[in-house]
Amino acid sequence: MKRKIIITLAITTLLPICVSAQQNAHHTDEMVADKVIFEQKRLLEENTKGKGFGPQAPRDIDAISGKNLRLFVAAPASTEMNLCNIHFHKNAEHKGGEFTKYAGNGDGHGYQSGYKYSGKLSTSELGSIKHNICPSKHSALSTGDTIEVHYVYSTSQVKPGPTLGSCLNEAIKNPQLRVETQVYVLVNQKNALDFNNLTKYSVENNLYQATNIPNNTGTPVQYAGSTTGPGYNEKGSPFQVTWSVRPNVAKVNINSVGKWCEGNVFNEDHAHGVRNLVTNPDLLSKIKR
């Protein structure tokens, strides 16, 4: 019974990563003022100062400095772990590489904020779509939009499933977590990458593996961080996560993303919101080049 209670509490804590404060968010087309984001960052600093929180995420992957010394052993390579969840955020949570264009402050709850692809797309790539793609009460996806996909891995003996609760089981209360991260830009071209193919997985050496994560989008930047999602805009995440963020963007067929949202084993049907970029050096680890 105690084990079940502990797992339930852990899953409850992890849920904000995926639901992204959906219940508290309000749909709006207006951007909140800078002072709203400033206050959220002030509260994050106040609520974490001197309390022993480890390094946080997301961050600018081009900035290597960090003063948080509460280090932890890096998770094994993803090939030695089980894929447990795949989900995506509208706009990149991280900044750097080819995604440095700020989307704006958004609604203050993680939606319409984050970072966009900083390159240029052709007129044909930006061709309009006649139907909604992955609609939610916050917005739908459009051509030219940027998404950040999180391929989450766990050292627990688990299989891929809905929410990050799928990364836990009763046998290990504190599994190591790794997130293989790829940023995509949505284009209306049939010859672009197929999202359903990008999210395929199989069993390799008795471990669940995402088999088609791009391997031509630059050397991943690895760092020690935490779980993300706008539920942690004003408080620290207590989870330790090894991040592996690819710096270059890949182009994906927007219609294939829409098809994936219509049905997948992860029960994902829309884009999640983003956590404010963490910039406080006391909450960042040092990136080793």
Side-chain angles (χ1 to χ4, degrees), residues 16-185:
I17 308 160
C18 282
V19 300
S20 300
Q22 179 176 347
Q23 295 177 346
N24 295 324
H26 302 283
H27 178 67
T28 177
D29 294 327
E30 297 182 359
M31 297 279 183
V32 298
D34 290 346
K35 64 181 181 181
V36 174
I37 306 302
F38 178 84
E39 177 64 8
Q40 289 178 341
K41 291 193 173 187
R42 186 193 69 78
L43 287 171
L44 175 62
E45 179 177 359
E46 179 180 299
N47 293 331
T48 55
K49 189 172 184 178
K51 296 183 179 179
F53 278 92
Q56 301 289 295
R59 65 177 296 161
D60 184 339
I61 60 171
D62 291 336
I64 66 172
S65 62
K67 295 182 178 180
N68 191 290
L69 301 179
R70 194 164 295 278
L71 302 180
F72 55 90
V73 177
S78 59
T79 52
E80 300 174 23
M81 306 172 72
N82 277 304
L83 175 75
C84 54
N85 180 260
I86 297 176
H87 64 274
F88 68 89
H89 301 255
K90 182 176 179 179
N91 297 325
E93 287 199 291
H94 288 84
K95 175 187 178 183
E98 293 184 333
F99 37 97
T100 57
K101 183 179 179 181
Y102 186 46
N105 294 336
D107 66 355
H109 299 278
Y111 293 92
Q112 317 312 322
S113 188
Y115 291 85
K116 296 182 176 183
Y117 173 51
S118 49
K120 294 183 178 181
L121 298 173
S122 67
T123 302
S124 61
E125 288 175 325
L126 292 171
S128 61
I129 301 296
K130 296 181 180 180
H131 58 281
N132 288 331
I133 300 292
C134 305
S136 72
K137 65 180 182 181
H138 306 289
S139 67
L141 298 178
S142 303
T143 52
D145 280 347
T146 299
I147 62 173
E148 179 173 309
V149 179
H150 294 166
Y151 302 82
V152 190
Y153 285 80
S154 171
T155 51
S156 289
Q157 185 175 318
V158 292
K159 61 182 180 180
T163 80
L164 294 190
S166 296
C167 302
L168 308 173
N169 68 8
E170 293 185 356
I172 299 179
K173 301 173 184 176
N174 60 336
Q176 288 180 286
L177 300 172
R178 173 182 285 277
V179 180
E180 295 292 337
T181 306
Q182 176 63 55
V183 176
Y184 299 98
V185 62

Side-chain angles (χ1 to χ4, degrees), residues 154-218:
S154 171
T155 51
S156 289
Q157 185 175 318
V158 292
K159 61 182 180 180
T163 80
L164 294 190
S166 296
C167 302
L168 308 173
N169 68 8
E170 293 185 356
I172 299 179
K173 301 173 184 176
N174 60 336
Q176 288 180 286
L177 300 172
R178 173 182 285 277
V179 180
E180 295 292 337
T181 306
Q182 176 63 55
V183 176
Y184 299 98
V185 62
L186 309 183
V187 297
N188 187 13
Q189 287 198 328
K190 293 182 178 180
N191 62 350
L193 296 174
D194 186 324
F195 196 68
N196 292 280
N197 188 50
L198 293 169
T199 54
K200 282 185 177 179
Y201 62 87
S202 63
V203 177
E204 308 284 343
N205 297 320
N206 296 316
L207 295 170
Y208 288 96
Q209 296 288 300
T211 54
N212 294 316
I213 301 175
N215 59 9
N216 60 349
T217 50

